Amino acid sequence: MRVIVCENYDEVSKKAAQIVASEVVLNPKAVLGLATGSTPVGMYKILAEMNKNGEIDFSSIKSFNLDEYYPMSADNDQSYRYFMNENLFNHINIDIKNTHVLDGLAEDPEKECADYDKMIEEAGGIDIQVLGIGQNGHIAFNEPDSFLYANTHITDLTESTINANSRFFEKIEDVPTKALTMGIASILKARRIIILATGASKKAITKELIEGEISTNNPASMLKVHKDVILICDKEAYGE
Ligand code: GLP
């Protein structure tokens, strides 16, 4: 795992945007794996600016998002589909039909998950996967456990994640307790992975990711088996 330590959040956003943009320049038909959460918002803003300035073209780009709450309707302003439209898709020249987010209202969630993995495969696999990291080490919604799922699946959220994500909801009872999420193998199949960690709340887990052993209790540590992972963090997350 390569580590890029940046001065602050803005610099992390810029570095991450430059890496994603370079993939898009090198392969105008690239398949992007995208993440939600507050961390990648700055990166999305820069990518949108680069698109507006004519530096990068998303017209033939496909995207697959990591996860979605369950149950959750796409037009709910807390859905990850809504988040992606608001923070990126509405501001770039991507064909919305080429953007994929798991259906949080799928009647048969198992089928939805299996179909999602198949669609990613049929698209040729993910060229670059963007990840954030939960304070407990979760990636997408793969929560620390004695067992991790390989493929896209339905999962229960841990108390730590429900607490952390409650800041986006009116009250904690509104946070869904389940989600559909890409699994660890689905993520590891991406040809390149960048993981972003910023702010003091990510300091402990960033240290654990860099120095700790591979363990299902820290799902992000699974990334250590991948040959092309770049951790981009700010000084607050990196610590001393
Ligand atoms: C959510 C998402 C993750 C994200 C994490 C961190 O639970 N499912 O994909 O990485 O939160 O979010 P933030 O960037 O807001 O700290």
Side-chain angles (χ1 to χ4, degrees):
M1 182 165 62
R2 280 180 280 178
V3 184
I4 301 178
V5 184
C6 299
E7 204 55 46
N8 52 35
Y9 177 82
D10 288 346
E11 205 188 303
V12 168
S13 303
K14 200 167 161 191
K15 284 270 182 314
Q18 283 168 341
I19 294 172
V20 173
S22 70
E23 295 279 339
V24 173
V25 169
L26 287 169
N27 177 9
K29 291 186 172 177
V31 179
L32 309 181
L34 300 176
T36 52
S38 43
T39 313
V41 170
M43 177 194 78
Y44 290 145
K45 248 191 208 132
I46 297 170
L47 288 172
E49 273 163 32
M50 292 175 91
N51 182 231
K52 204 162 145 199
N53 298 338
E55 288 167 62
I56 44 173
D57 175 20
F58 288 92
S59 59
S60 301
I61 294 290
K62 285 192 181 126
S63 76
F64 288 88
N65 261 79
L66 285 168
D67 46 14
E68 179 60 284
Y69 289 116
Y70 190 85
M72 177 63 80
S73 113
D75 52 21
N76 185 314
D77 62 5
Q78 294 301 340
S79 77
Y80 285 170
R81 160 54 77 183
Y82 189 95
F83 175 100
M84 288 310 300
N85 288 351
E86 284 290 299
N87 286 288
L88 185 67
F89 302 149
N90 289 347
H91 311 288
I92 59 174
N93 70 333
I94 198 163
D95 182 345
I96 203 76
K97 289 199 294 296
N98 287 337
T99 69
H100 303 90
V101 182
L102 283 148
D103 178 5
L105 287 185
E107 269 177 39
D108 183 346
E110 275 82 24
K111 182 176 182 308
E112 171 70 10
C113 293
D115 288 351
Y116 202 70
D117 280 334
K118 213 191 288 161
M119 259 196 305
I120 295 175
E121 218 175 288
E122 281 166 9
I126 291 171
D127 291 299
I128 183 164
Q129 175 67 59
V130 177
L131 292 177
I133 184 167
Q135 288 169 33
N136 63 1
H138 75 230
I139 46 175
F141 272 131
N142 294 278
E143 297 278 35
D145 208 335
S146 51
F147 179 88
L148 294 176
Y149 283 84
N151 297 332
T152 301
H153 60 283
I154 184 161
T155 187
D156 290 318
L157 303 183
T158 60
E159 209 178 313
S160 148
T161 299
I162 292 173
N163 281 333
N165 291 7
S166 65
R167 69 190 195 276
F168 300 112
F169 292 79
E170 238 170 65
K171 45 186 191 322
I172 194 156
E173 294 76 37
D174 293 343
V175 186
T177 56
K178 286 183 187 296
L180 307 181
T181 180
M182 273 166 63
I184 294 294
S186 316
I187 294 170
L188 289 176
K189 277 183 203 158
R191 286 182 262 283
R192 167 172 281 167
I193 298 173
I194 60 172
I195 177 161
L196 317 184
T198 60
S201 69
K202 301 291 170 67
K203 187 171 165 181
I205 196 64
T206 302
K207 185 176 162 68
E208 182 64 28
L209 175 60
I210 296 171
E211 295 174 4
E213 290 178 357
I214 295 177
S215 156
T216 58
N217 288 319
N218 177 11
S221 69
M222 298 288 150
L223 298 174
K224 291 184 183 216
V225 304
H226 192 281
K227 66 176 187 338
D228 192 356
V229 176
I230 309 164
L231 165 66
I232 312 174
C233 56
D234 65 3
K235 282 192 168 160
E236 270 190 344
Y238 188 71
E240 301 80 42

